[in-house]
Amino acid sequence: MKGCLILLAVVAVALAAEKYPSKYDDVDIDRILQNNRVLTNYIRCMLDEGSCTAEGRELKKTLPDALATDCSKCNEKQKVTAEKVINHLRTKRPKDWDRLVTKYDPRGEYKKRFENLQNGKKA
């Protein structure tokens, strides 16, 4: 019985390590998206064209893996936030969206997967 509890504890720690940090989950993303100056600074950070905040550095570090794994290590809040940001950039800042896609998805595979999900298709 004791061995089973230890095994469960080890599995729980391993599963927790499989998620992205949640320390920035409470950032007010709506406020950032509505503030062009702040949003531009984040975009410039992501494109290696400007300095990064701590949040920007974390996002820049996490984004390639999140794209490659369909955000499988994201919690629900992170998934909702990611979709909100993507939709905002696609509709309100398409030139910046295209530049980000060129950098982080040069073959277009993640963009296609996201669009299929948006359209209700399996990727």
Side-chain angles (χ1 to χ4, degrees), residues 18-20 62-75 78-79 104 109-110 113 117 123:
E18 290 295 314
K19 294 290 184 187
Y20 298 124
T62 304
L63 186 61
D65 184 67
L67 289 170
T69 64
D70 264 347
C71 217
S72 66
K73 297 177 190 173
C74 296
N75 63 37
Q78 291 165 343
K79 288 177 184 179
Y104 289 97
E109 61 191 271
Y110 310 131
R113 193 180 319 147
L117 286 173

Side-chain angles (χ1 to χ4, degrees), residues 23-113:
K23 67 182 177 180
Y24 298 115
D25 284 5
D26 293 325
V27 168
D28 187 347
I29 197 66
D30 292 314
R31 192 167 164 202
I32 292 170
L33 294 176
Q34 299 310 315
N35 185 323
N36 278 329
R37 181 185 58 78
V38 173
L39 181 56
T40 296
N41 287 340
Y42 275 101
I43 292 168
R44 291 182 73 210
C45 162
M46 299 303 295
L47 293 170
D48 299 318
E49 295 173 355
S51 61
C52 296
T53 62
E55 296 95 340
R57 282 190 299 277
E58 185 71 33
L59 177 60
K60 197 170 165 179
K61 181 176 81 173
T62 304
L63 186 61
D65 184 67
L67 289 170
T69 64
D70 264 347
C71 217
S72 66
K73 297 177 190 173
C74 296
N75 63 37
E76 271 314 301
K77 183 162 183 145
Q78 291 165 343
K79 288 177 184 179
V80 168
T81 299
E83 190 169 335
K84 182 181 281 192
V85 170
I86 290 168
N87 287 330
H88 181 87
L89 292 173
R90 287 176 66 205
T91 60
K92 307 278 193 228
R93 307 270 302 248
K95 288 180 183 172
D96 290 325
W97 169 248
D98 288 342
R99 293 175 67 217
L100 289 163
V101 167
T102 297
K103 177 176 175 127
Y104 289 97
D105 189 17
R107 293 187 300 261
E109 61 191 271
Y110 310 131
K111 182 179 175 183
K112 184 176 183 178
R113 193 180 319 147

Side-chain angles (χ1 to χ4, degrees), residues 1-9:
M1 183 69 173
K2 192 175 194 179
C4 186
L5 289 175
I6 292 171
L7 179 61
L8 285 175

